[in-house]
Amino acid sequence: MTVAGAHTVGAADGGPGLIGTGWSTRHGDLPVPHFIGLHAVQALPLLVLLLTRAGIGRAPRERLMLIAGPSYAGLWVILLIQALRGVPAIAPDSATIAQLGAWAVATALAAGLVRRGNGAAARQTITI
């Protein structure tokens, strides 16, 4: 770890970085999870807008957002752990890839269950 106030983990600040962001290409960098966490205030409302425009009803949209919020937080935690372990964002190690895979599968399964449950509720309503 570096001194307090620095954002690169595993080396001194400076060195090669991504064009436009300056994020380290060789070590963990705390601005990566910071960027993801900060932009949740844009990403989650945008998801609501996209779900609305896709014609998804209010109840399933609310259930999907109850999945999206914690899922987004889970992504943030994965990226924070990656940065604190000193792993660069552009070259994730096998542990990070496994975490991202588990996160993606869990999110997809939860969203699929919401969508499937919504279809069953609609069929019950029609048959009554």
Side-chain angles (χ1 to χ4, degrees):
M1 296 253 195
T2 58
V3 295
H7 59 79
T8 302
V9 179
D13 278 348
L18 290 175
I19 296 172
T21 63
W23 297 343
S24 176
T25 58
R26 294 190 181 162
H27 306 284
D29 214 350
L30 292 174
V32 176
H34 177 263
F35 174 85
I36 294 298
L38 182 66
H39 289 286
V41 296
Q42 286 109 10
L44 293 173
L46 180 61
L47 180 58
V48 172
L49 178 65
L50 293 173
L51 292 173
T52 303
R53 292 210 175 203
I56 296 174
R58 182 179 175 141
R61 189 170 61 236
E62 288 173 354
R63 289 191 300 269
L64 286 169
M65 291 311 297
L66 287 173
I67 293 166
S71 175
Y72 200 94
L75 175 62
W76 177 82
V77 168
I78 291 168
L79 295 175
L80 178 63
I81 291 169
Q82 177 186 11
L84 291 174
R85 289 188 301 116
V87 178
I90 64 166
D93 60 359
S94 59
T96 302
I97 291 171
Q99 292 168 348
L100 289 170
W103 165 80
V105 167
T107 300
L109 283 173
L113 288 173
V114 164
R115 295 299 294 156
R116 183 176 182 201
N118 182 46
R123 283 189 300 275
Q124 288 175 348
T125 305
I126 292 170
T127 59
I128 293 178

